[in-house]
Amino acid sequence: MKLSRWVVIGSIAMFAAATTCISSLPASAQDSDQSVAAQASDVWGNQEPAAPSDTTDAAESTDAEVAPDIKAPITVSGQWTGGISDNLRGDGSISADFVQKKGKLTGTWDAFGDFGNIVGTVNSKSAKITFIFFPKKPFIHCRFTLTSTSASDTEITGTYKFTACGPLTRKEHGTIDISPAS
């Protein structure tokens, strides 16, 4: 029992000594040698000489100067219509009413006499949209998900596949091509 007390006391002493040593180091990178700051690296790590500047300019720089260029998501809000081609049901029309908040989608849809809700995401060049059937037999949990092959503010084209629908739709799939309703 006495040995374990000495182990605990020794551990506390070592922790205190380490903390004291670390706290004596410079508090920020600004305290380091200015010659290190004379080199700047680009996004890929290439070293380039930094432009001469004083510390005021460095403090006033914004994140936008160093952040990668991120494009806004495509805009799909509103009514969209187009064609749907299903390997089991054939060709038909589909309409969707999208509500968009940044890159997230909600809304409603109808095709082939069926209808339901929409959830999905869009970015600057693609879309992934899940069409959820209104709960009725045999489509209680049924949904199909469109993965775009092409997406823009004026057209979304892609393929879809059914999930959670049971054995009747395991092999059902197709394509959708929609654009804003005029």
Side-chain angles (χ1 to χ4, degrees):
M1 190 104 146
K2 290 182 181 183
L3 180 61
S4 63
R5 283 185 187 169
W6 283 108
V7 170
V8 170
I9 291 170
S11 297
I12 291 171
M14 289 179 63
F15 176 76
T19 304
T20 303
C21 291
I22 291 173
S23 64
S24 67
L25 294 175
S28 69
Q30 293 174 351
D31 296 337
S32 64
D33 184 27
Q34 289 295 328
S35 64
V36 174
Q39 292 288 325
S41 64
D42 64 11
V43 175
W44 296 275
N46 297 322
Q47 296 292 318
E48 297 178 13
S53 66
D54 61 18
T55 56
T56 306
D57 291 341
E60 293 176 3
S61 70
T62 64
D63 288 343
E65 294 172 349
V66 295
D69 184 19
I70 299 174
K71 295 182 180 179
I74 61 173
T75 303
V76 297
S77 292
Q79 184 73 31
W80 285 54
T81 59
I84 182 169
S85 181
D86 188 274
N87 69 322
L88 299 179
R89 294 180 121 180
D91 295 335
S93 62
I94 185 169
S95 67
D97 190 13
F98 294 110
V99 176
Q100 181 175 358
K101 291 185 182 176
K102 296 186 180 180
K104 297 195 184 265
L105 298 178
T106 58
T108 58
W109 67 274
D110 66 81
F112 295 117
D114 293 314
F115 58 95
N117 294 320
I118 293 170
V119 295
T121 58
V122 291
N123 62 31
S124 64
K125 57 187 173 190
S126 66
K128 187 167 187 172
I129 305 167
T130 300
F131 299 83
I132 305 166
F133 282 83
F134 180 76
K136 65 177 184 175
K137 290 186 179 182
F139 305 115
I140 300 297
H141 301 285
C142 193
R143 64 192 71 224
F144 60 98
T145 301
L146 167 72
T147 303
S148 68
T149 53
S150 171
S152 70
D153 294 338
T154 59
E155 182 180 38
I156 298 174
T157 303
T159 59
Y160 66 87
K161 181 180 170 185
F162 278 82
T163 57
C165 298
L168 297 175
T169 59
R170 282 195 180 132
K171 295 183 180 182
E172 191 168 359
H173 62 281
T175 60
I176 293 177
D177 184 5
I178 56 175
S179 57
S182 30

